[in-house]
Amino acid sequence: MENLQYYIALIVVIALGAFIVKKVTGCMIRIVITIIALALLTGILYQLGVLQV
């Protein structure tokens, strides 16, 4: 019975870990895409002469 509780706890920990990794990864991907989009927009506006450095 002790092993059964161990395996149940292990399955719960793995499921929670996968859920947390999924949430963090999704957030990081959105941040990277936003940074790339802002860099492209800045470059385009600079080329058009709207932004002057």
Side-chain angles (χ1 to χ4, degrees), residues 36-48:
I36 291 171
L38 287 174
L40 287 173
L41 183 61
T42 303
I44 291 169
L45 291 175
Y46 180 74
Q47 291 293 324
L48 292 175

Side-chain angles (χ1 to χ4, degrees), residues 7-35:
Y7 287 120
I8 290 173
L10 185 63
I11 290 171
V12 169
V13 168
I14 289 173
L16 285 175
F19 178 74
I20 291 171
V21 167
K22 182 180 174 185
K23 289 293 184 183
V24 169
T25 303
C27 182
M28 289 178 71
I29 289 172
R30 276 187 249 131
I31 290 171
V32 169
I33 290 172
T34 303
I35 290 172

